[in-house]
Amino acid sequence: MERIECIKRTISEKKISIAGIRRLLALIPCWEIKGCEDDIKYSCPAYVDYERPCWLHKASLKGDCATNECRECPVYNSIKSCDELKELLKRYIEKSAI
């Protein structure tokens, strides 16, 4: 419910569309969270086409990402609130800038 409330607040207060929220979710660095090896990461369609969330690549994903249900994904389940998502993206952006 907290995620739905976060999305609702983002749409109404920040004036970000559903497409914008989808893009934000696509930025979640799952390869960092899961600790994917470089060869797996660089061949992953969700990494290569980072503007689209991984669930739009479902047919071409490999490994556990291909076989697991998206709603059971440990990456998305690890983010329980907007604050956690903001912090994760902030850490990733800071790490990428180095």
Side-chain angles (χ1 to χ4, degrees), residues 31-97:
W31 54 90
E32 293 283 336
I33 295 168
K34 293 177 69 175
C36 294
E37 298 290 328
D38 284 347
D39 58 330
I40 294 170
K41 177 173 67 173
Y42 296 137
S43 66
C44 177
Y47 178 81
V48 175
D49 183 10
Y50 59 85
E51 290 194 10
R52 294 176 53 203
C54 60
W55 61 85
L56 293 178
H57 294 285
K58 188 73 173 165
S60 56
L61 294 174
K62 297 178 181 169
D64 66 337
C65 292
T67 57
N68 290 345
E69 290 293 325
C70 292
R71 68 177 171 271
E72 296 171 7
C73 176
V75 173
Y76 292 106
N77 285 328
S78 69
I79 301 165
K80 304 276 189 247
S81 69
C82 284
D83 290 335
E84 289 178 13
L85 176 58
K86 287 178 200 175
E87 185 60 35
L88 175 66
L89 291 172
K90 179 181 170 186
R91 283 195 319 263
Y92 177 64
I93 290 167
E94 288 171 352
K95 185 176 180 179
S96 296

Side-chain angles (χ1 to χ4, degrees), residues 2-3 11-12 22 24 26 46 70 77 79 90 92 98:
E2 190 170 342
R3 284 187 204 172
I11 291 170
S12 64
R22 183 180 294 140
L24 286 172
C70 292
N77 285 328
I79 301 165
K90 179 181 170 186
Y92 177 64
I98 295 175

Side-chain angles (χ1 to χ4, degrees), residues 14-32:
K14 305 294 183 192
K15 307 300 183 213
I16 296 177
S17 67
I18 295 292
I21 291 170
R22 183 180 294 140
R23 289 244 170 124
L24 286 172
L25 291 174
L27 292 174
I28 295 172
C30 62
W31 54 90
E32 293 283 336

